[in-house]
Coordinates of all heavy atoms in Angstrom, one line a residue:
M1007 N -14.1 12.8 13.7 CA -14.2 13.7 12.6 C -12.7 13.9 12.0 O -12.6 14.0 10.8 CB -14.8 15.0 13.0 CG -15.2 15.9 11.9 SD -16.4 15.0 10.9 CE -17.3 16.3 10.2
V1008 N -11.8 14.0 12.9 CA -10.4 14.2 12.5 C -9.9 13.0 11.7 O -9.3 13.2 10.6 CB -9.5 14.4 13.7 CG1 -8.0 14.4 13.3 CG2 -9.8 15.7 14.4
I1009 N -10.3 11.8 12.1 CA -9.9 10.6 11.4 C -10.4 10.6 10.0 O -9.7 10.2 9.1 CB -10.3 9.4 12.3 CG1 -9.5 9.3 13.6 CG2 -10.1 8.1 11.5 CD1 -9.9 8.2 14.5
L1010 N -11.7 10.9 9.9 CA -12.3 10.9 8.5 C -11.6 11.9 7.6 O -11.4 11.7 6.4 CB -13.8 11.2 8.6 CG -14.6 11.2 7.3 CD1 -14.5 9.9 6.7 CD2 -16.0 11.7 7.6
G1011 N -11.3 13.1 8.2 CA -10.6 14.1 7.4 C -9.2 13.7 6.9 O -8.8 13.9 5.8
I1012 N -8.5 13.0 7.8 CA -7.2 12.5 7.5 C -7.3 11.5 6.4 O -6.5 11.5 5.4 CB -6.5 12.0 8.7 CG1 -6.1 13.1 9.7 CG2 -5.2 11.2 8.4 CD1 -5.6 12.7 11.0
F1013 N -8.3 10.6 6.6 CA -8.4 9.5 5.6 C -8.8 10.1 4.2 O -8.2 9.7 3.2 CB -9.5 8.5 6.0 CG -9.7 7.4 5.1 CD1 -8.8 6.4 5.0 CD2 -10.9 7.3 4.3 CE1 -9.0 5.3 4.1 CE2 -11.1 6.3 3.4 CZ -10.1 5.3 3.3
I1014 N -9.7 11.0 4.1 CA -10.1 11.6 2.9 C -9.0 12.4 2.2 O -8.8 12.3 1.0 CB -11.4 12.4 3.0 CG1 -12.6 11.5 3.4 CG2 -11.7 13.3 1.8 CD1 -13.9 12.3 3.7
L1015 N -8.3 13.1 3.0 CA -7.1 13.9 2.5 C -6.1 12.9 2.0 O -5.6 13.1 0.8 CB -6.5 14.8 3.6 CG -5.3 15.6 3.2 CD1 -5.7 16.6 2.2 CD2 -4.7 16.3 4.4
S1016 N -5.7 11.9 2.7 CA -4.7 11.0 2.3 C -5.2 10.2 1.0 O -4.4 10.1 0.1 CB -4.5 9.9 3.4 OG -3.5 9.0 3.0
L1017 N -6.4 9.8 1.0 CA -6.9 9.1 -0.2 C -6.9 10.0 -1.4 O -6.5 9.6 -2.5 CB -8.3 8.6 0.1 CG -8.9 7.5 -0.8 CD1 -8.1 6.2 -0.7 CD2 -10.4 7.3 -0.4
G1018 N -7.3 11.3 -1.2 CA -7.3 12.2 -2.3 C -6.0 12.5 -2.9 O -5.8 12.6 -4.1
I1019 N -5.0 12.7 -2.0 CA -3.6 12.9 -2.5 C -3.1 11.7 -3.2 O -2.4 11.9 -4.3 CB -2.7 13.3 -1.3 CG1 -3.1 14.7 -0.7 CG2 -1.2 13.2 -1.6 CD1 -2.4 15.1 0.6
K1020 N -3.3 10.5 -2.7 CA -2.8 9.3 -3.4 C -3.5 9.1 -4.8 O -2.8 8.7 -5.7 CB -3.0 8.1 -2.5 CG -2.1 8.1 -1.3 CD -2.3 7.0 -0.4 CE -1.4 7.1 0.8 NZ 0.0 7.2 0.5
I1021 N -4.8 9.4 -4.9 CA -5.4 9.3 -6.2 C -4.9 10.4 -7.1 O -4.7 10.1 -8.3 CB -6.9 9.4 -6.0 CG1 -7.5 8.1 -5.3 CG2 -7.6 9.6 -7.3 CD1 -8.9 8.2 -4.9
A1022 N -4.6 11.6 -6.6 CA -4.1 12.7 -7.5 C -2.7 12.3 -8.0 O -2.4 12.5 -9.1 CB -4.0 14.0 -6.7
I1023 N -1.9 11.7 -7.1 CA -0.5 11.3 -7.5 C -0.6 10.2 -8.6 O 0.1 10.2 -9.6 CB 0.3 10.7 -6.3 CG1 0.6 11.9 -5.4 CG2 1.5 10.0 -6.7 CD1 1.3 11.5 -4.1
L1024 N -1.6 9.3 -8.4 CA -1.7 8.2 -9.5 C -2.2 8.8 -10.8 O -1.6 8.5 -11.8 CB -2.8 7.2 -9.0 CG -3.1 6.1 -10.0 CD1 -1.9 5.2 -10.3 CD2 -4.3 5.3 -9.5
A1025 N -3.1 9.8 -10.7 CA -3.6 10.4 -12.0 C -2.5 11.2 -12.6 O -2.4 11.2 -13.9 CB -4.8 11.3 -11.6
L1026 N -1.7 11.9 -11.9 CA -0.6 12.8 -12.4 C 0.6 12.0 -12.8 O 1.3 12.4 -13.8 CB -0.2 13.9 -11.4 CG -1.3 14.9 -11.1 CD1 -0.9 15.8 -10.0 CD2 -1.7 15.7 -12.3
A1027 N 0.9 10.9 -12.2 CA 2.1 10.2 -12.4 C 2.0 9.2 -13.6 O 2.9 8.8 -14.2 CB 2.6 9.4 -11.2
G1028 N 0.7 8.9 -14.0 CA 0.5 7.9 -15.0 C 0.8 6.5 -14.6 O 0.3 6.1 -13.6
E1029 N 1.7 5.8 -15.3 CA 2.0 4.4 -14.9 C 3.2 4.4 -14.0 O 4.3 4.7 -14.4 CB 2.4 3.6 -16.2 CG 1.2 3.1 -17.0 CD 0.4 2.1 -16.2 OE1 0.9 1.2 -15.5 OE2 -0.9 2.2 -16.1
P1030 N 3.0 4.1 -12.7 CA 4.2 4.1 -11.8 C 5.0 2.9 -12.0 O 4.5 1.7 -11.9 CB 3.5 4.1 -10.4 CG 2.1 3.6 -10.7 CD 1.8 4.0 -12.1
I1031 N 6.2 3.1 -12.4 CA 7.1 2.0 -12.7 C 7.4 1.1 -11.5 O 7.5 -0.1 -11.5 CB 8.5 2.5 -13.3 CG1 8.2 3.1 -14.7 CG2 9.5 1.4 -13.5 CD1 9.3 3.8 -15.3
I1032 N 7.6 1.8 -10.3 CA 7.9 1.1 -9.1 C 6.8 0.1 -8.7 O 7.0 -0.9 -8.0 CB 8.3 2.0 -8.0 CG1 8.9 1.3 -6.8 CG2 7.1 2.8 -7.4 CD1 9.8 2.1 -5.9
F1033 N 5.6 0.4 -9.1 CA 4.4 -0.4 -8.8 C 4.6 -1.8 -9.4 O 4.1 -2.8 -8.8 CB 3.2 0.2 -9.3 CG 1.9 -0.7 -9.1 CD1 1.4 -0.8 -7.8 CD2 1.4 -1.4 -10.2 CE1 0.3 -1.6 -7.7 CE2 0.3 -2.2 -10.0 CZ -0.2 -2.3 -8.7
N1034 N 5.3 -1.9 -10.5 CA 5.4 -3.2 -11.2 C 6.1 -4.3 -10.4 O 5.9 -5.5 -10.7 CB 6.0 -3.0 -12.6 CG 5.2 -2.2 -13.5 OD1 3.9 -2.2 -13.4 ND2 5.8 -1.4 -14.4
K1035 N 7.0 -3.9 -9.5 CA 7.8 -5.0 -8.9 C 6.9 -5.8 -7.9 O 7.1 -7.0 -7.7 CB 9.0 -4.4 -8.1 CG 8.7 -3.6 -6.9 CD 10.1 -3.2 -6.3 CE 9.9 -2.5 -5.0 NZ 11.1 -2.0 -4.4
Y1036 N 5.9 -5.2 -7.3 CA 5.1 -5.9 -6.3 C 4.2 -7.0 -7.0 O 4.2 -8.1 -6.5 CB 4.3 -5.0 -5.5 CG 5.1 -4.4 -4.4 CD1 5.6 -3.1 -4.5 CD2 5.5 -5.1 -3.2 CE1 6.4 -2.5 -3.6 CE2 6.2 -4.5 -2.3 CZ 6.7 -3.2 -2.4 OH 7.5 -2.6 -1.5
P1037 N 3.5 -6.7 -8.1 CA 2.8 -7.7 -8.8 C 3.7 -8.9 -9.3 O 3.3 -10.0 -9.2 CB 2.1 -7.0 -9.9 CG 2.0 -5.6 -9.5 CD 3.2 -5.4 -8.7
Y1038 N 4.9 -8.5 -9.7 CA 5.8 -9.5 -10.3 C 6.2 -10.5 -9.1 O 6.1 -11.7 -9.3 CB 7.1 -8.8 -10.8 CG 8.2 -9.8 -11.2 CD1 8.1 -10.6 -12.3 CD2 9.3 -9.9 -10.4 CE1 9.1 -11.5 -12.6 CE2 10.3 -10.8 -10.7 CZ 10.2 -11.6 -11.8 OH 11.2 -12.5 -12.1
F1039 N 6.6 -10.0 -8.0 CA 7.0 -10.8 -6.9 C 5.8 -11.5 -6.2 O 6.0 -12.6 -5.7 CB 7.9 -10.1 -5.9 CG 9.3 -9.8 -6.4 CD1 9.7 -8.5 -6.7 CD2 10.2 -10.9 -6.6 CE1 10.9 -8.3 -7.2 CE2 11.4 -10.6 -7.0 CZ 11.8 -9.3 -7.4
A1040 N 4.7 -10.9 -6.2 CA 3.5 -11.5 -5.7 C 3.1 -12.8 -6.5 O 2.7 -13.8 -6.0 CB 2.3 -10.5 -5.6
E1041 N 3.2 -12.6 -7.8 CA 2.9 -13.8 -8.7 C 4.0 -14.9 -8.5 O 3.6 -16.1 -8.5 CB 2.9 -13.3 -10.2 CG 1.7 -12.6 -10.6 CD 1.6 -12.4 -12.1 OE1 2.2 -11.4 -12.5 OE2 1.1 -13.3 -12.8
R1042 N 5.2 -14.5 -8.3 CA 6.2 -15.5 -8.0 C 6.0 -16.3 -6.8 O 6.1 -17.5 -6.7 CB 7.6 -14.9 -8.0 CG 8.1 -14.5 -9.4 CD 9.5 -14.1 -9.5 NE 10.4 -15.1 -9.0 CZ 11.7 -14.9 -8.8 NH1 12.2 -13.7 -9.0 NH2 12.4 -15.9 -8.3
L1043 N 5.5 -15.5 -5.7 CA 5.1 -16.2 -4.5 C 4.0 -17.1 -4.6 O 4.0 -18.2 -4.1 CB 4.8 -15.1 -3.4 CG 5.9 -14.5 -2.6 CD1 5.3 -13.4 -1.7 CD2 6.6 -15.5 -1.8
L1044 N 3.0 -16.7 -5.4 CA 1.8 -17.6 -5.6 C 2.2 -18.8 -6.4 O 1.5 -19.9 -6.2 CB 0.7 -16.8 -6.4 CG 0.0 -15.7 -5.6 CD1 -1.0 -15.0 -6.4 CD2 -0.7 -16.4 -4.4
H1045 N 3.2 -18.8 -7.2 CA 3.6 -19.9 -8.0 C 4.6 -20.8 -7.2 O 5.1 -21.8 -7.7 CB 4.2 -19.5 -9.3 CG 3.2 -19.0 -10.3 ND1 3.1 -17.7 -10.6 CD2 2.3 -19.7 -11.0 CE1 2.1 -17.5 -11.4 NE2 1.6 -18.7 -11.7
G1046 N 4.9 -20.4 -6.0 CA 5.8 -21.2 -5.1 C 7.3 -21.0 -5.3 O 8.1 -21.7 -4.8
D1047 N 7.6 -19.9 -6.1 CA 9.0 -19.6 -6.4 C 9.6 -19.0 -5.1 O 9.0 -18.4 -4.3 CB 9.1 -18.7 -7.5 CG 8.7 -19.3 -8.9 OD1 8.6 -20.5 -8.9 OD2 8.4 -18.5 -9.8
N1048 N 10.9 -19.2 -5.0 CA 11.7 -18.6 -3.9 C 12.1 -17.2 -4.3 O 12.9 -17.1 -5.3 CB 12.8 -19.5 -3.5 CG 13.6 -19.0 -2.4 OD1 13.2 -18.0 -1.7 ND2 14.8 -19.6 -2.1
I1049 N 11.7 -16.2 -3.6 CA 12.2 -14.9 -4.0 C 13.5 -14.5 -3.2 O 14.0 -13.4 -3.5 CB 11.1 -13.8 -3.8 CG1 10.7 -13.7 -2.3 CG2 9.9 -14.1 -4.7 CD1 9.8 -12.5 -2.1
G1050 N 13.9 -15.4 -2.3 CA 15.2 -15.2 -1.6 C 15.4 -13.9 -1.0 O 14.5 -13.4 -0.2
E1051 N 16.5 -13.3 -1.2 CA 16.9 -12.1 -0.5 C 16.1 -10.8 -1.0 O 16.2 -9.8 -0.4 CB 18.4 -11.8 -0.7 CG 18.8 -11.6 -2.2 CD 20.3 -11.8 -2.4 OE1 20.9 -12.6 -1.8 OE2 20.8 -11.0 -3.2
R1052 N 15.4 -11.0 -2.1 CA 14.6 -9.8 -2.6 C 13.5 -9.4 -1.6 O 13.0 -8.3 -1.6 CB 13.9 -10.2 -3.9 CG 14.7 -10.3 -5.1 CD 15.4 -9.0 -5.4 NE 14.5 -7.8 -5.4 CZ 14.5 -7.0 -6.3 NH1 15.2 -7.1 -7.4 NH2 13.6 -5.9 -6.3
L1053 N 13.2 -10.3 -0.6 CA 12.2 -10.0 0.4 C 12.7 -8.8 1.2 O 11.9 -8.0 1.8 CB 11.9 -11.2 1.3 CG 10.8 -11.0 2.3 CD1 9.5 -10.7 1.6 CD2 10.6 -12.3 3.1
L1054 N 14.0 -8.6 1.3 CA 14.6 -7.5 2.2 C 14.3 -6.2 1.6 O 14.3 -5.2 2.4 CB 16.1 -7.8 2.3 CG 16.4 -9.1 3.1 CD1 18.0 -9.2 3.1 CD2 15.9 -9.1 4.5
D1055 N 14.2 -6.0 0.3 CA 14.0 -4.7 -0.3 C 12.5 -4.4 -0.7 O 12.2 -3.4 -1.3 CB 14.9 -4.4 -1.4 CG 14.6 -5.2 -2.7 OD1 14.0 -6.3 -2.5 OD2 14.9 -4.8 -3.8
L1056 N 11.6 -5.3 -0.2 CA 10.2 -5.2 -0.5 C 9.5 -5.0 0.9 O 10.0 -5.5 1.9 CB 9.6 -6.4 -1.2 CG 10.2 -6.7 -2.6 CD1 9.8 -8.1 -3.0 CD2 9.8 -5.6 -3.6
S1057 N 8.4 -4.3 0.8 CA 7.6 -4.2 2.0 C 6.8 -5.6 2.2 O 6.0 -5.9 1.4 CB 6.5 -3.1 1.9 OG 5.6 -3.2 2.9
P1058 N 7.2 -6.4 3.2 CA 6.6 -7.7 3.4 C 5.1 -7.7 3.5 O 4.4 -8.5 2.9 CB 7.2 -8.3 4.6 CG 8.5 -7.5 4.8 CD 8.2 -6.1 4.3
F1059 N 4.5 -6.7 4.3 CA 3.1 -6.7 4.4 C 2.4 -6.5 3.1 O 1.5 -7.2 2.7 CB 2.6 -5.6 5.4 CG 1.1 -5.4 5.4 CD1 0.3 -6.3 6.0 CD2 0.6 -4.3 4.8 CE1 -1.1 -6.2 6.0 CE2 -0.8 -4.2 4.7 CZ -1.6 -5.1 5.4
Y1060 N 2.9 -5.5 2.3 CA 2.3 -5.2 1.1 C 2.5 -6.3 0.0 O 1.6 -6.6 -0.7 CB 2.7 -3.9 0.5 CG 2.0 -3.6 -0.8 CD1 0.7 -3.3 -0.8 CD2 2.7 -3.7 -2.0 CE1 0.0 -3.1 -2.0 CE2 2.0 -3.5 -3.2 CZ 0.7 -3.2 -3.2 OH 0.0 -3.0 -4.4
L1061 N 3.6 -6.9 0.1 CA 3.9 -8.0 -0.8 C 2.9 -9.2 -0.6 O 2.3 -9.7 -1.6 CB 5.3 -8.5 -0.7 CG 5.7 -9.7 -1.5 CD1 5.6 -9.4 -3.0 CD2 7.1 -10.2 -1.2
Y1062 N 2.7 -9.6 0.7 CA 1.8 -10.7 0.9 C 0.3 -10.2 0.7 O -0.5 -11.1 0.3 CB 2.0 -11.2 2.3 CG 3.3 -12.0 2.4 CD1 4.5 -11.5 3.0 CD2 3.4 -13.3 1.8 CE1 5.6 -12.3 3.0 CE2 4.6 -14.0 1.8 CZ 5.7 -13.5 2.4 OH 6.8 -14.2 2.4
A1063 N 0.0 -9.0 1.0 CA -1.3 -8.5 0.7 C -1.6 -8.5 -0.8 O -2.7 -8.9 -1.2 CB -1.5 -7.1 1.3
A1064 N -0.6 -8.1 -1.6 CA -0.8 -8.1 -3.0 C -0.9 -9.6 -3.5 O -1.7 -9.9 -4.4 CB 0.4 -7.5 -3.7
A1065 N -0.2 -10.5 -2.9 CA -0.3 -11.9 -3.3 C -1.7 -12.4 -3.0 O -2.3 -13.1 -3.8 CB 0.8 -12.7 -2.6
L1066 N -2.2 -12.1 -1.8 CA -3.5 -12.5 -1.4 C -4.6 -11.9 -2.3 O -5.5 -12.6 -2.8 CB -3.8 -12.1 0.0 CG -5.2 -12.5 0.6 CD1 -5.4 -14.0 0.6 CD2 -5.4 -11.9 1.9
F1067 N -4.4 -10.6 -2.7 CA -5.3 -9.9 -3.6 C -5.3 -10.6 -5.0 O -6.4 -10.8 -5.5 CB -4.9 -8.5 -3.7 CG -5.7 -7.7 -4.6 CD1 -6.9 -7.0 -4.1 CD2 -5.5 -7.5 -6.0 CE1 -7.7 -6.3 -4.9 CE2 -6.3 -6.8 -6.8 CZ -7.4 -6.2 -6.3
L1068 N -4.1 -10.9 -5.5 CA -4.0 -11.6 -6.8 C -4.6 -13.0 -6.7 O -5.2 -13.4 -7.7 CB -2.6 -11.7 -7.2 CG -1.9 -10.4 -7.6 CD1 -0.4 -10.6 -7.9 CD2 -2.6 -9.8 -8.8
K1069 N -4.5 -13.7 -5.6 CA -5.1 -15.0 -5.5 C -6.6 -14.9 -5.6 O -7.3 -15.7 -6.2 CB -4.7 -15.7 -4.2 CG -5.2 -17.1 -4.0 CD -4.2 -17.9 -3.4 CE -4.6 -19.3 -3.2 NZ -4.2 -20.2 -4.3
I1070 N -7.2 -13.9 -4.9 CA -8.7 -13.7 -4.9 C -9.2 -13.1 -6.2 O -10.2 -13.7 -6.7 CB -9.1 -12.8 -3.7 CG1 -8.7 -13.5 -2.4 CG2 -10.5 -12.5 -3.7 CD1 -8.9 -12.7 -1.1
F1071 N -8.6 -12.0 -6.7 CA -9.2 -11.3 -7.8 C -8.5 -11.6 -9.1 O -8.9 -11.1 -10.2 CB -9.1 -9.8 -7.5 CG -10.0 -9.4 -6.4 CD1 -9.4 -9.1 -5.2 CD2 -11.4 -9.4 -6.5 CE1 -10.2 -8.7 -4.1 CE2 -12.2 -9.0 -5.4 CZ -11.6 -8.7 -4.2
G1072 N -7.3 -12.3 -9.1 CA -6.6 -12.5 -10.4 C -5.8 -11.3 -10.7 O -5.7 -10.3 -10.0
P1073 N -5.2 -11.3 -11.9 CA -4.3 -10.2 -12.3 C -5.0 -9.0 -12.8 O -4.9 -8.6 -14.0 CB -3.4 -10.8 -13.4 CG -4.2 -11.9 -14.0 CD -5.1 -12.4 -12.9
N1074 N -5.8 -8.3 -11.9 CA -6.5 -7.1 -12.3 C -5.6 -5.9 -11.8 O -5.8 -5.5 -10.6 CB -7.9 -7.1 -11.6 CG -8.7 -5.9 -12.1 OD1 -8.2 -4.9 -12.6 ND2 -10.0 -6.0 -11.9
W1075 N -4.7 -5.4 -12.6 CA -3.7 -4.5 -12.2 C -4.3 -3.1 -11.8 O -3.8 -2.5 -10.8 CB -2.6 -4.3 -13.2 CG -2.0 -5.6 -13.6 CD1 -2.0 -6.1 -14.9 CD2 -1.5 -6.6 -12.8 NE1 -1.4 -7.3 -14.9 CE2 -1.1 -7.7 -13.7 CE3 -1.3 -6.8 -11.5 CZ2 -0.5 -8.8 -13.2 CZ3 -0.7 -7.9 -11.0 CH2 -0.3 -8.9 -11.8
D1076 N -5.3 -2.7 -12.4 CA -5.9 -1.4 -12.1 C -6.6 -1.5 -10.7 O -6.4 -0.6 -9.9 CB -7.0 -1.0 -13.1 CG -6.4 -0.7 -14.4 OD1 -5.2 -0.2 -14.5 OD2 -7.1 -0.8 -15.5
L1077 N -7.3 -2.6 -10.4 CA -7.9 -2.8 -9.1 C -6.8 -2.9 -8.0 O -6.9 -2.4 -6.9 CB -8.8 -4.0 -9.1 CG -9.7 -4.2 -8.0 CD1 -10.6 -2.9 -7.8 CD2 -10.6 -5.4 -8.2
L1078 N -5.7 -3.5 -8.4 CA -4.6 -3.7 -7.4 C -4.0 -2.3 -7.1 O -3.6 -2.1 -5.9 CB -3.5 -4.6 -8.0 CG -2.3 -4.9 -7.0 CD1 -2.8 -5.6 -5.7 CD2 -1.3 -5.8 -7.7
M1079 N -3.9 -1.4 -8.1 CA -3.4 -0.1 -7.8 C -4.3 0.7 -6.8 O -3.8 1.3 -5.9 CB -3.2 0.7 -9.1 CG -2.0 0.4 -9.8 SD -1.6 1.6 -11.1 CE -2.7 1.0 -12.4
F1080 N -5.6 0.5 -7.0 CA -6.5 1.2 -6.0 C -6.5 0.5 -4.6 O -6.6 1.2 -3.6 CB -7.9 1.2 -6.6 CG -8.1 2.2 -7.7 CD1 -8.2 1.9 -9.0 CD2 -8.0 3.6 -7.4 CE1 -8.3 2.8 -10.0 CE2 -8.1 4.5 -8.4 CZ -8.3 4.2 -9.7
F1081 N -6.2 -0.8 -4.6 CA -6.0 -1.5 -3.4 C -4.7 -0.9 -2.7 O -4.8 -0.7 -1.4 CB -5.8 -3.0 -3.6 CG -5.6 -3.8 -2.4 CD1 -6.5 -4.0 -1.4 CD2 -4.3 -4.5 -2.3 CE1 -6.2 -4.7 -0.3 CE2 -4.1 -5.2 -1.2 CZ -5.0 -5.4 -0.2
Q1082 N -3.7 -0.7 -3.4 CA -2.5 -0.1 -2.8 C -2.8 1.3 -2.3 O -2.3 1.7 -1.2 CB -1.4 0.0 -3.9 CG -0.1 0.6 -3.4 CD 0.9 0.8 -4.5 OE1 0.6 0.7 -5.7 NE2 2.2 1.0 -4.1
I1083 N -3.6 2.1 -3.0 CA -3.9 3.4 -2.5 C -4.7 3.3 -1.2 O -4.5 4.1 -0.2 CB -4.8 4.2 -3.6 CG1 -3.8 4.6 -4.7 CG2 -5.5 5.4 -3.0 CD1 -4.6 5.1 -5.9
L1084 N -5.6 2.4 -1.1 CA -6.4 2.2 0.1 C -5.5 1.8 1.3 O -5.7 2.3 2.4 CB -7.5 1.2 -0.2 CG -8.4 0.9 1.0 CD1 -9.2 2.1 1.4 CD2 -9.4 -0.3 0.7
L1085 N -4.6 0.9 1.0 CA -3.7 0.4 2.1 C -2.8 1.6 2.6 O -2.6 1.8 3.7 CB -2.7 -0.7 1.6 CG -3.3 -2.1 1.6 CD1 -2.3 -3.1 1.0 CD2 -3.8 -2.5 2.9
G1086 N -2.4 2.5 1.6 CA -1.6 3.6 2.0 C -2.4 4.6 2.9 O -1.9 5.2 3.8
A1087 N -3.7 4.8 2.5 CA -4.5 5.7 3.3 C -4.8 5.1 4.7 O -4.8 5.8 5.7 CB -5.8 6.0 2.6
L1088 N -5.0 3.8 4.8 CA -5.2 3.2 6.1 C -3.9 3.2 6.9 O -3.9 3.3 8.1 CB -5.6 1.7 5.9 CG -7.1 1.6 5.3 CD1 -7.4 0.1 5.0 CD2 -8.1 2.1 6.3
N1089 N -2.7 3.1 6.2 CA -1.5 3.2 6.9 C -1.3 4.6 7.6 O -0.8 4.8 8.7 CB -0.3 2.9 6.0 CG 1.0 2.9 6.6 OD1 1.2 2.4 7.7 ND2 2.0 3.5 6.0
N1090 N -1.8 5.6 6.9 CA -1.8 7.0 7.4 C -2.6 7.1 8.6 O -2.3 7.8 9.6 CB -2.2 8.0 6.3 CG -1.7 9.3 6.5 OD1 -0.8 9.5 7.3 ND2 -2.2 10.3 5.8
L1091 N -3.8 6.4 8.7 CA -4.6 6.4 9.9 C -3.9 5.7 11.0 O -4.0 6.1 12.2 CB -5.9 5.7 9.6 CG -6.9 6.5 8.7 CD1 -8.2 5.7 8.5 CD2 -7.2 7.9 9.3
L1092 N -3.2 4.6 10.7 CA -2.4 3.9 11.8 C -1.3 4.9 12.3 O -1.1 4.9 13.6 CB -1.8 2.7 11.2 CG -1.0 1.8 12.1 CD1 -1.8 1.3 13.3 CD2 -0.3 0.7 11.4
L1093 N -0.7 5.6 11.5 CA 0.3 6.5 11.9 C -0.3 7.6 12.8 O 0.3 7.9 13.9 CB 1.0 7.2 10.7 CG 2.0 8.3 11.0 CD1 3.2 7.7 11.7 CD2 2.4 9.0 9.7
Y1094 N -1.4 8.1 12.4 CA -2.2 9.1 13.3 C -2.5 8.5 14.7 O -2.3 9.1 15.7 CB -3.4 9.6 12.6 CG -4.4 10.3 13.5 CD1 -4.1 11.6 13.9 CD2 -5.5 9.7 14.0 CE1 -5.0 12.3 14.8 CE2 -6.3 10.3 14.9 CZ -6.1 11.6 15.3 OH -6.9 12.3 16.1
A1095 N -3.0 7.3 14.7 CA -3.4 6.7 15.9 C -2.3 6.5 16.9 O -2.4 6.8 18.1 CB -4.1 5.3 15.6
I1096 N -1.1 6.0 16.3 CA 0.0 5.8 17.2 C 0.6 7.1 17.7 O 0.9 7.2 18.9 CB 1.1 4.9 16.4 CG1 0.6 3.5 16.2 CG2 2.4 4.9 17.2 CD1 1.4 2.7 15.2
A1097 N 0.8 8.1 16.8 CA 1.4 9.3 17.2 C 0.5 10.1 18.2 O 0.9 10.7 19.1 CB 1.6 10.2 16.0
S1098 N -0.8 10.0 18.0 CA -1.7 10.8 18.9 C -1.8 10.1 20.2 O -2.0 10.8 21.2 CB -3.1 10.9 18.2 OG -3.7 9.7 18.0
R1099 N -1.7 8.8 20.3 CA -1.7 8.1 21.5 C -0.4 8.3 22.3 O -0.5 8.5 23.5 CB -1.9 6.6 21.3 CG -2.0 5.8 22.7 CD -2.6 4.5 22.5 NE -4.0 4.7 22.3 CZ -4.9 3.8 22.6 NH1 -4.5 2.6 23.1 NH2 -6.2 4.0 22.4
L1100 N 0.7 8.4 21.6 CA 2.0 8.6 22.3 C 2.3 10.0 22.6 O 2.8 10.3 23.7 CB 3.1 8.0 21.5 CG 3.2 6.5 21.3 CD1 4.3 6.1 20.4 CD2 3.3 5.8 22.7
F1101 N 1.9 10.9 21.7 CA 2.3 12.3 21.9 C 1.2 13.3 21.9 O 1.5 14.5 21.9 CB 3.3 12.7 20.7 CG 4.5 11.8 20.7 CD1 4.6 10.8 19.7 CD2 5.5 11.8 21.7 CE1 5.7 10.0 19.6 CE2 6.6 11.0 21.6 CZ 6.7 10.1 20.6
G1102 N 0.0 12.9 21.7 CA -1.2 13.9 21.7 C -1.8 14.0 20.3 O -1.1 13.7 19.3
T1103 N -3.0 14.5 20.2 CA -3.7 14.6 19.0 C -3.1 15.5 18.0 O -3.0 15.2 16.8 CB -5.2 15.1 19.3 OG1 -5.8 14.2 20.2 CG2 -6.0 15.1 18.0
A1104 N -2.6 16.7 18.4 CA -1.9 17.6 17.5 C -0.7 17.0 16.8 O -0.6 17.1 15.6 CB -1.5 18.9 18.3
T1105 N 0.1 16.2 17.6 CA 1.2 15.6 17.0 C 0.8 14.5 16.0 O 1.4 14.3 14.9 CB 2.1 14.9 18.1 OG1 2.5 16.0 19.0 CG2 3.3 14.3 17.5
G1106 N -0.3 13.8 16.3 CA -0.9 12.8 15.4 C -1.3 13.4 14.1 O -1.1 12.8 13.0
V1107 N -2.0 14.5 14.2 CA -2.4 15.2 12.9 C -1.2 15.6 12.1 O -1.1 15.4 10.9 CB -3.3 16.4 13.2 CG1 -3.6 17.2 12.0 CG2 -4.6 15.9 13.8
I1108 N -0.2 16.2 12.8 CA 1.0 16.7 12.1 C 1.7 15.5 11.4 O 2.1 15.6 10.3 CB 1.9 17.5 13.0 CG1 1.3 18.8 13.4 CG2 3.3 17.7 12.4 CD1 2.0 19.5 14.5
A1109 N 1.9 14.4 12.2 CA 2.5 13.2 11.6 C 1.8 12.7 10.4 O 2.4 12.3 9.5 CB 2.7 12.2 12.7
S1110 N 0.5 12.6 10.5 CA -0.2 12.1 9.4 C -0.2 13.0 8.1 O -0.2 12.5 7.0 CB -1.7 11.8 9.8 OG -2.4 13.0 10.0
I1111 N -0.1 14.3 8.4 CA 0.0 15.2 7.2 C 1.4 15.1 6.6 O 1.5 15.1 5.4 CB -0.3 16.6 7.6 CG1 -1.8 16.8 7.9 CG2 0.1 17.6 6.6 CD1 -2.2 18.1 8.6
L1112 N 2.4 14.9 7.4 CA 3.7 14.8 6.9 C 3.9 13.5 6.2 O 4.5 13.3 5.2 CB 4.8 14.9 8.0 CG 4.9 16.3 8.6 CD1 5.9 16.2 9.8 CD2 5.4 17.3 7.6

């Protein structure tokens, strides 16, 4: 039950941020570099300032669904909510359930 609550809270906050922020400018760099990866371009040292997991997940998403940017934003929100669950699972296993909940809320 705690896991579902954390997931719903995280998802709700991320959707609210998207609705309130409008067009997130920082979001544009991942589709740009994901498209470059799909075209076989070398992104070189730029890989160091990007999240590699999200970059390759975005590239896979673009390969499957094409350049549907709205759907990609919701995919990013879902990945962020799932990342929060991963944080909860690791913190609760290492330090206890209360610490896992606090870590996921932070």
